[in-house]
Amino acid sequence: MRGVLVLALLALLAGPASAAGSERDRQIEALRAERDTRAQEASRLADEIARLKASTRGPRAGGELELKLRAFDRVARRLDELERRLARLETASGRLPGGLDEADLRPLLDIAIGPTDLGPALDAKIVLLQAEHQRGTTQSEQLGAALRVLALRLETKERQAREAETARRDAGTALPLLRRQADELKIELHELQSSRAVVQRRQGELARELATIEQRLAEAERRRAGAGSTSP
Amino acid sequence: MTTVFAPGRLASLLIALLSCAPPWAWSQTEPAADLAGPSDGWRWRPSLFVLGAYEYNRGLTVVGVSSSSASSSDLRPAIALGLEAARSGSRGGFQGEVSLLGRDPFDSDARAILFDGRAHAFRSLGSRWRLELDEALRLERREALPRGDFDRQQAQATLEYRGARGPAYRLQFADRRLRLPNTPALDVAQHTLALGVWTGTGGGASVEAKAVFRRFGEAALERNHFAAAFEATHVQAQGLLALRYHFSAALGRRPTPTEALVPVPNVALLAGRAPELLPEVPLADALDDEAESWPARQEHQLSLYGSRTFGQGLRFTVRAQVRWLRDREPLQKGLPGFDDRRWHLRATLRWRLSHHSALIAQAVHASETGNPAMPELVRSQVFFGVQLR
């Protein structure tokens, strides 16, 4: 009887907790989905801005570039907001930088070619190596796009931080909210810099992993070609 | 009344001396990218200003500050030295500035020295709490007008709580003291307790509303005040706009001035004694905040700040303030209060020539009316010069 009561009590306590947990998970999922959409939009705008910047001469931005920069600014602000809300909901370990998925940062498989790998075993490893190479190439493109977006967001954020910092110094104690705003922008800037460092680090690792895979793929194909030419 | 240099305040004073910030043209300088952004180490930057300062005054003769006609104007050199320090990371940061401005430093009769220092530090305490500490110190000395010397110090602590959703709640305590070494009757001390609600920086905009309880020191007749403030800012990559409205009202009835309270004669006599009694303090800092003023029955203040960057190196800044104090407490007990109306405007143009130099031009206009002892005070200043860093 006591056991039943304890179980009933546990169920009562666990019910709201799990409901709160699932509500939180739903929020995180919704926020991540919107962040991904916004990140794609930002990536597209960053590419267009880079193209327009390359074709613009002089310090003044052209009309189209100005419009794109403003549009990027709006998207970046929304991304800031989404990341801020996500940061409050997610655990530190579950947080990923720059709007990336876990798949974007997962290392490529280390597939070694052994001296006894021949025939179907070698073919299977070649298929695996090709799949990993494809995944690595896609990941590299995604990291490149994330870095382009982060670079532009950092540029915008640095200018905002400088504006707020100048105003904070100039306004003194008369406009105290400017101090808070300047602090917040510095922290956001720091988080963006940390995200960029993580993505850059992963990009470096990925380049090494891709080089290794290409080397092994070449070796495996050489071996298969050698085996084909020596077979009767 | 406790003085600004009381032993209990030594720690905060040391913080101020080790950190600090610039006045007038100096404070307009744009921080270098390396100082505005985060870093894990300390960054220091010294700076030098060589300026010409043109000043126009009207109304000071009424109180005997100016010697010649009803208005005066002159052009004098000014030099400013400063040092900035900054450190910031993902969980906290510090910014400090100290500056020393000397107007006409080589003329002992006209020399004016202004020291200004500010420090701001913040630290996240876990994911929800945050602590801020602020210290500001200002000292002004004029050789020809020692009665106008003043020291001002403000220390402030803010504790902020921000949940997973919704706004942040900010509890602030501030201690502010204004001390006139040669006119101690005008010293003012003030303690402030405020609770604010802040929306955060979503979309670059930020709004805060807060209720404030202020208590003035023994020298003030209006001891307790209720105040409310609303402030909004919007930051963009090319500019910034900030607006603040502050309202304050005295709590309780004001003691009726009587002959028995303080035997001070009348306003006319007060005006006659003005050279000794009324310093330039009300206009010494053309753009100060609401907490500076002496208590009033009711106070309204509107502050505006806007800046815009053009191209790579040109920056234009405007700062304006309108303040209306109804039934302001007189400078001596026993006199009736009066309505004090002030407005200030400052415009600055800064043109960056290189990473180490910039041209600066700044115009300030301040006007104060309503005080029966000095019916109209007008001061205009123009600074122009070069900044080297």
Side-chain angles (χ1 to χ4, degrees), chain A residues 2-21:
Chain A
R2 187 185 291 173
V4 174
L5 281 174
V6 169
L7 281 175
L9 189 62
L10 280 175
L12 273 174
L13 290 173
S18 66

Side-chain angles (χ1 to χ4, degrees), chain A residues 11-131:
Chain A
L12 273 174
L13 290 173
S18 66
S22 62
E23 170 62 23
R24 189 170 143 274
D25 290 345
R26 269 197 298 277
Q27 279 179 19
I28 290 175
E29 204 172 314
L31 290 172
R32 279 183 179 170
E34 191 185 344
R35 184 191 59 185
D36 292 347
T37 311
R38 297 287 178 182
Q40 282 170 9
E41 195 180 344
S43 175
R44 183 178 51 76
L45 283 167
D47 289 343
E48 287 174 22
I49 287 166
R51 181 178 56 77
L52 287 167
K53 270 185 177 172
S55 62
T56 302
R57 291 174 190 277
R60 281 200 63 79
E64 195 184 354
L65 179 56
E66 187 80 32
L67 286 175
K68 296 288 178 199
L69 284 168
R70 282 187 190 166
F72 183 86
D73 196 30
R74 279 195 297 275
V75 177
R77 284 175 194 281
R78 184 62 190 153
L79 274 171
D80 286 345
E81 178 64 21
L82 290 166
E83 283 171 8
R84 246 194 316 271
R85 287 168 66 186
L86 272 169
R88 286 191 227 156
L89 290 167
E90 290 174 330
T91 57
S93 58
R95 211 174 300 152
L96 294 171
L100 294 169
D101 291 327
E102 281 169 28
D104 296 331
L105 297 174
R106 199 165 58 225
L108 300 181
L109 290 177
D110 185 13
I111 303 158
I113 308 290
T116 56
D117 286 334
L118 292 167
L122 187 63
D123 289 345
K125 285 204 171 171
I126 286 173
V127 170
L128 270 176
L129 282 165
Q130 283 171 339

Side-chain angles (χ1 to χ4, degrees), chain B residues 79-311:
Chain B
I79 292 176
L81 296 167
L83 182 66
E84 298 164 69
R87 181 179 187 172
S88 62
S90 60
R91 301 192 58 78
F94 173 90
Q95 299 94 41
E97 302 103 23
V98 253
S99 69
L100 186 66
L101 183 136
R103 186 170 179 269
D104 212 352
F106 308 111
D107 182 349
S108 60
D109 290 336
R111 187 184 301 144
I113 303 289
L114 176 67
F115 172 83
D116 196 292
R118 286 180 225 162
H120 171 67
F122 67 98
R123 177 85 190 166
S124 294
L125 308 170
S127 60
R128 301 282 166 89
W129 295 88
R130 185 174 186 280
L131 180 67
E132 286 173 37
L133 296 172
D134 289 277
E135 175 70 47
L137 180 69
R138 191 180 183 100
L139 308 172
E140 184 166 324
R141 298 287 182 270
R142 286 179 182 246
E143 297 224 0
L145 188 68
R147 293 278 169 187
D149 293 352
F150 78 93
D151 309 334
R152 190 191 66 205
Q153 187 201 18
Q154 179 170 330
Q156 181 174 296
T158 307
L159 186 65
E160 180 183 300
Y161 173 79
R162 199 170 181 189
R165 300 177 73 179
Y169 298 93
R170 291 164 58 77
L171 185 68
Q172 292 174 331
F173 176 74
D175 177 278
R176 187 178 178 105
R177 287 152 200 273
L178 179 70
R179 178 176 166 264
L180 289 83
N182 299 305
T183 321
L186 303 185
D187 289 359
V188 178
Q190 175 187 162
H191 305 292
T192 304
L193 186 66
L195 180 64
V197 181
W198 178 56
T199 59
T201 56
S206 184
V207 178
E208 183 181 45
K210 68 181 177 188
V212 185
F213 175 73
R214 291 200 295 177
R215 181 173 175 81
F216 286 89
E218 290 300 315
L221 291 176
E222 307 292 356
R223 300 266 172 80
N224 300 323
H225 283 229
F226 171 77
F230 172 83
E231 188 172 346
T233 62
H234 186 70
V235 184
Q236 286 189 319
Q238 294 83 22
L240 179 147
L241 192 64
L243 187 70
R244 177 182 171 86
Y245 170 70
H246 170 90
F247 165 78
S248 171
L251 296 171
R253 280 191 68 243
R254 176 199 184 108
T256 310
T258 61
E259 287 293 318
L261 184 65
V262 180
V264 173
N266 54 40
V267 174
L269 186 52
L270 177 67
R273 292 169 51 198
E276 294 298 306
L277 190 62
L278 299 173
E280 286 185 275
V281 171
L283 290 176
D285 180 4
L287 290 163
D288 219 319
D289 68 340
E290 78 284 345
E292 172 65 65
S293 58
W294 282 274
R297 198 73 199 143
Q298 208 179 79
E299 180 181 337
H300 300 268
Q301 181 174 302
L302 190 66
S303 305
L304 172 80
Y305 181 91
S307 69
R308 170 83 188 174
T309 303
F310 299 93

Side-chain angles (χ1 to χ4, degrees), chain A residues 143-189:
Chain A
L143 290 176
L147 270 180
R148 282 195 296 279
V149 172
L150 280 170
L152 206 51
R153 283 177 73 188
L154 269 166
E155 190 184 317
T156 310
K157 193 68 72 183
E158 271 167 3
R159 292 174 68 179
Q160 287 175 359
R162 206 177 309 172
E163 284 291 335
E165 180 63 16
T166 308
R168 175 194 72 77
R169 291 148 41 95
D170 187 27
T173 53
L175 291 156
L177 191 55
L178 283 174
R179 284 200 299 264
R180 184 68 186 86
Q181 184 98 336
D183 291 349
E184 193 77 356
L185 284 166
K186 274 183 194 161
I187 287 178
E188 287 172 8
L189 195 53

